[in-house]
Amino acid sequence: VFFSIGMHKCNWRIRSRIDDLLVDDDEGWDEIGSYEAQKRWTLSNEELTKTTGEGNAFADSRIMDLAFDYNFPLSYIADMVVSLGARPPIRDNDRISELLDGEQAFALLEALTSLDGADVESMYLDSTLEDVADLMEMPVDALFAACAEKGFSLPHGLQTQLRRDQLTALIAYFEEEPPSSDFNQQQEENRKMRRGFDD
């Protein structure tokens, strides 16, 4: 049985493991100046003094560079670029200039320079969407479909690290609407078919 939780009659062993996910287990940046100065600084080709020592403009930086330079989780930056208009999936080596226009890039810079990276990191789970599906003992397809219905962007696909509030929303969702037995049967048939192709 792929969905062994009747979430409305939640298996407490599993619920305890889910609750554990929700428990919380720099170099700073000086003020850059005025709005216009920040905007010119963001999108110019002048050398930036970054912790990496690289001389790329902000818009030429990769997602992974920004995560390192600003001490923010990759998941947050990927979430931000999607919320600003980029289409998933997002790769960690994508450059900001490939994903966002100038106004959007500046909005991202404002977010990275106005929030605390440690506070933002505490908002995210360490587990991926696949890990959460395993912990909830349910088909990852059902969890993915629920995320889509709830409007979660999933910038890294099945490897997306959910926010804690998103997991809470999913738990509430499945307490109200657990996947049907027909859905589970279809998933089993799909898995058998995939195994047949792999053999």
Side-chain angles (χ1 to χ4, degrees):
V1 177
F2 291 102
F3 188 78
S4 60
I5 318 172
M7 290 294 288
H8 54 297
K9 299 178 181 177
C10 192
N11 179 311
W12 287 106
R13 176 180 59 83
I14 295 169
R15 185 56 182 264
S16 175
R17 282 159 38 189
I18 294 170
D19 288 344
D20 288 343
L21 289 177
L22 296 170
V23 177
D24 258 335
D25 317 353
D26 103 299
E27 290 192 25
W29 283 78
D30 295 330
E31 287 296 326
I32 302 170
S34 68
Y35 178 91
E36 286 304 320
Q38 279 189 327
K39 195 167 180 180
R40 288 194 301 271
W41 178 83
T42 304
L43 303 174
S44 73
N45 290 318
E46 296 177 1
E47 183 175 18
L48 305 183
T49 305
K50 302 200 299 191
T51 56
T52 58
E54 295 178 358
N56 297 328
F58 181 88
D60 292 329
S61 297
R62 298 171 298 175
I63 299 287
M64 63 178 68
D65 298 331
L66 298 184
F68 180 82
D69 293 339
Y70 291 87
N71 199 24
F72 270 77
L74 282 164
S75 296
Y76 171 75
I77 299 176
D79 269 344
M80 276 296 297
V81 298
V82 170
S83 71
L84 289 167
R87 296 184 62 180
I90 303 298
R91 298 170 301 177
D92 295 341
N93 62 350
D94 283 342
R95 296 189 182 276
I96 297 303
S97 58
E98 298 169 346
L99 302 169
L100 305 175
D101 62 26
E103 293 293 330
Q104 294 165 335
F106 182 63
L108 176 60
L109 173 65
E110 285 188 311
L112 295 178
T113 53
S114 62
L115 299 174
D116 185 284
D119 289 342
V120 171
E121 187 168 13
S122 69
M123 295 164 50
Y124 285 84
L125 303 173
D126 291 331
S127 306
T128 67
L129 189 66
E130 285 184 313
D131 296 331
V132 171
D134 184 55
L135 287 168
M136 294 175 73
E137 295 185 2
M138 65 179 300
V140 69
D141 307 39
L143 192 59
F144 191 92
C147 288
E149 185 169 330
K150 299 292 289 183
F152 301 161
S153 62
L154 304 182
H156 292 129
L158 296 180
Q159 297 306 307
T160 296
Q161 291 176 287
L162 295 174
R163 297 193 312 271
R164 296 173 191 280
D165 64 296
Q166 290 175 323
L167 178 57
T168 300
L170 288 171
I171 292 171
Y173 174 87
F174 284 113
E175 284 177 344
E176 295 176 2
E177 298 184 36
S180 66
S181 57
D182 289 343
F183 183 93
N184 291 329
Q185 184 177 356
Q186 182 62 50
Q187 296 309 302
E188 172 65 3
E189 292 174 0
N190 291 343
R191 284 177 173 80
K192 287 180 178 178
M193 186 176 299
R194 284 198 294 270
R195 283 199 298 269
F197 285 129
D198 291 338
D199 292 342

